Amino acid sequence: MKKHNFSAGPCILPPEVLLKASQAVVDFDNSGLSLIEISHRSKPFVDVMEKARALALELLGLEGKGYKALFLQGGASTQFLAVAYNLLENKAGYLNTGTWSNKALQEAKLFGDVQEVASSKDANFNYIPKGFEISSDLDYFHCTSNNTIFGTQLKSFPKCDIPMVCDMSSDIFSRELDFYRFDLIYAGAQKNMGPAGTTLVVVKEDILGKVSRQIPSMMDYKKHIGSGSMFNTPPVFPVYVSMLTLEWLKNLGGIKAIEEINNKKASLIYSEIDLNPLFKGFASKADRSTMNATFTLENDNLKETFETMLKEAGINGLNGHRSVGGYRASMYNALSLDSVKVLVEVMSELESKA
Ligand SMILES: *Cc1c(COP(=O)(O)O)cnc(C)c1O
C-alpha cells in the first residue's frame, strides 16, 4: 500500500514525476542512454536545464522582468553564505523566525554587520513578529517565508525599499505572492520541487556586482548566470526531477490552482486541531503555515495509541521536530487532500476512543 507521506523534507513528490524520473534513469527519452550517464553539455541535458530555468520564472510570473533562475548545489544552507558573499557590503537586516533564519543570520555575520530586525525567539518561534521597521541604510533584508520546523508562515511581507531576499525553501510554488517584490529568492529542492541536491536561486540581476570583495567562482551568482547555470557539472538528476515537477504544476494550472488545494488541506487539518480537545496547535493562529501544521497531544498517555493508529492508516513522517515536539503534518504540493482526510479521520477516531 502506498503510504500517506507527511514527511517534512525530503518529502513527497507527484507519483507521475517519480515514474517518469525512474524511467529516465534507465533510458532517457528513448535515447538508449541513461539521463545520469550522458554529458551535461549534450543538447538533451542543456534542454532540460533551460526548461527547468524557464519554468521556474514562468510559474513565478517573473519572465522578462530582469530575473535569472539558477539550479545550484549545496542546499539552501550554502545560500545562507552565498547571499552574504554577493550582497553584504556593510550591514544587512535579518528577520529571525526560527532555526533556518537564525542559521542564515549567523552565516551572514562572517561577512559584515548583521542586524536582527525582529525575532520571535521569546516564544519558541510560535509566531511571526509584526510592525518592525527596516532601515533603508541596510544592504538588504532577509526573511524566511515559511518556518518548516515551527509551522509558521509570513502571510504578508514588510514594506521594504532595500533589496528583499527570501528563503522560500518550504513554500515556494505553494501560494501566489507578488514575487516581483523579492530581489532574490532561494529554495532547496527537497521540500516542494525535487530530490535533495539542487537549490533554486531566482535573482534580479541588477542587484549583483555591488560589493567590493572578490567572490570565489562557485559562490558568484554572476558567474553562474554567465554560464547558464552550468559553471561546473550540475546535479543532473535533481534538476531533471525538478523540471518534471514544475511541468506537473504548470499542467495542473500553476500556483493559483495548487494554492486552492493547499488551502483546503490546511483548513481541514487546522479545524480538526481546533475542534478536537485531544490536540493543541503550536503556531499562533494568524501565522499558521499551510505547508507544515505543528501540534501536540494534550495528554501524552494517548501517544502510543495514536501512533499505532497512524501506522495502521499508512501515515508516514508525522513526528515533530525535536525543538517543538509532538507532531508535524507537512502538506507540500504533491500531498493529496485525501491523505489529509485520512489523517483527520485518525485524529477524530482517537477522540471517540479516548
Ligand atoms: C530545509 C530548509 C533549509 C535547509 O536546506 P538544506 O537544503 O538542507 O540546506 C533551509 N531553509 C528552510 C526554510 C528549510 O526548510
Side-chain angles (χ1 to χ4, degrees), residues 75-77 80 100 144 146 148 167 169-170 190-191:
S77 299
F80 296 164
W100 296 118
T144 309
N146 183 69
T148 328
D167 175 358
S169 290
S170 53
Q190 72 275 18
K191 308 269 166 58

Side-chain angles (χ1 to χ4, degrees), residues 4-8 269 279 293 295 306-307 310 315-321 325-330 343 347:
H4 301 285
N5 189 3
F6 289 86
S7 175
I269 184 107
F279 294 98
F295 56 99
F306 182 49
E307 290 177 11
L310 290 173
I315 289 170
N316 170 70
L318 208 73
N319 276 346
H321 189 273
Y327 303 96
R328 168 173 52 169
S330 296
L343 171 59
M347 292 165 76

Side-chain angles (χ1 to χ4, degrees), residues 4 12 16 30 52 57 68 76 79 106 108-109 124 146 155 174 205 213 247 257 266 286-287 291 298 304 316 320:
H4 301 285
I12 189 164
E16 54 264 55
N30 298 316
L57 292 182
K68 286 283 164 26
Q79 294 312 310
Q106 297 305 330
K109 281 185 181 167
N124 196 24
N146 183 69
K155 302 297 169 185
S174 73
E205 266 193 288
R213 74 172 62 83
E247 230 170 27
D287 303 322
M291 294 281 102
E298 292 279 13
E304 212 168 298
N316 170 70

Side-chain angles (χ1 to χ4, degrees), residues 8-72:
C11 57
I12 189 164
L13 289 169
E16 54 264 55
V17 166
L18 294 181
L19 184 64
K20 204 159 177 211
S22 67
Q23 286 162 349
V25 169
V26 180
D27 185 359
F28 178 46
D29 281 350
N30 298 316
S31 62
L33 293 164
S34 164
L35 168 80
I36 57 175
E37 61 178 13
I38 58 172
S39 167
H40 60 290
R41 307 269 176 213
S42 65
K43 179 152 188 334
F45 186 77
V46 173
D47 288 350
V48 167
M49 178 60 97
E50 286 311 306
K51 191 160 183 200
R53 296 176 72 201
L55 277 168
L57 292 182
E58 184 187 339
L59 286 163
L60 298 172
L62 292 176
E63 279 171 312
K65 293 187 172 165
Y67 289 79
K68 286 283 164 26
L70 302 169
F71 283 88
L72 304 179

Side-chain angles (χ1 to χ4, degrees), residues 62-299:
L62 292 176
E63 279 171 312
K65 293 187 172 165
Y67 289 79
K68 286 283 164 26
L70 302 169
F71 283 88
L72 304 179
Q73 307 202 41
S77 299
T78 299
Q79 294 312 310
F80 296 164
L81 62 124
V83 162
Y85 236 130
N86 285 269
L87 304 179
L88 180 47
E89 180 76 9
N90 297 308
K91 193 170 180 183
Y94 277 68
L95 176 63
N96 189 1
T97 52
T99 310
W100 296 118
S101 49
N102 187 48
K103 284 191 177 171
L105 183 158
Q106 297 305 330
E107 295 288 277
K109 281 185 181 167
L110 300 170
F111 299 88
D113 282 342
V114 174
Q115 183 198 349
E116 187 181 77
V117 173
S119 168
S120 49
K121 192 163 191 270
D122 56 355
N124 196 24
F125 300 112
N126 74 355
Y127 72 101
I128 301 291
K130 293 168 197 82
F132 50 85
E133 293 283 316
I134 300 167
S135 157
S136 54
D137 62 1
L138 299 170
D139 295 324
Y140 63 91
F141 166 70
H142 179 284
C143 56
T144 309
S145 54
N146 183 69
N147 299 284
T148 328
I149 292 176
F150 300 94
T152 60
Q153 188 174 38
L154 269 77
K155 302 297 169 185
S156 64
F157 289 81
K159 204 188 136 304
C160 183
D161 45 21
I162 53 173
M164 180 147 66
V165 177
C166 190
D167 175 358
M168 294 195 187
S169 290
S170 53
D171 69 351
I172 186 129
F173 303 121
S174 73
R175 56 173 172 162
E176 287 198 298
L177 290 174
D178 182 4
F179 293 101
Y180 188 68
R181 286 187 62 197
F182 303 91
D183 299 87
L184 195 154
I185 295 166
Y186 62 92
Q190 72 275 18
K191 308 269 166 58
N192 221 1
M193 197 165 47
T198 193
T199 304
L200 172 65
V201 174
V202 174
V203 57
K204 203 169 184 194
E205 266 193 288
D206 67 10
I207 64 164
L208 300 175
K210 299 197 172 153
V211 290
S212 54
R213 74 172 62 83
Q214 287 211 308
I215 306 173
S217 303
M218 280 297 282
M219 286 293 118
D220 189 345
Y221 294 129
K222 279 180 119 151
K223 281 247 163 69
H224 287 293
I225 291 170
S227 55
S229 200
M230 294 258 214
F231 175 77
N232 68 328
T233 318
V236 293
F237 185 70
V239 172
Y240 178 67
V241 183
S242 299
M243 183 209 83
L244 293 178
T245 310
L246 297 180
E247 230 170 27
W248 167 84
L249 182 56
K250 185 181 167 180
N251 291 335
L252 214 78
I255 297 180
K256 189 178 163 61
I258 205 78
E259 181 176 20
E260 268 178 44
I261 304 171
N262 288 336
N263 286 341
K264 278 189 193 145
K265 292 186 285 184
S267 52
L268 193 60
I269 184 107
Y270 286 121
S271 54
E272 181 64 23
I273 291 170
D274 290 340
L275 294 173
N276 188 325
L278 303 182
F279 294 98
K280 190 172 137 194
F282 173 79
S284 134
K285 282 191 185 174
D287 303 322
R288 281 171 162 176
S289 166
T290 52
M291 294 281 102
N292 314 93
T294 43
F295 56 99
T296 51
L297 270 171
E298 292 279 13
N299 178 352

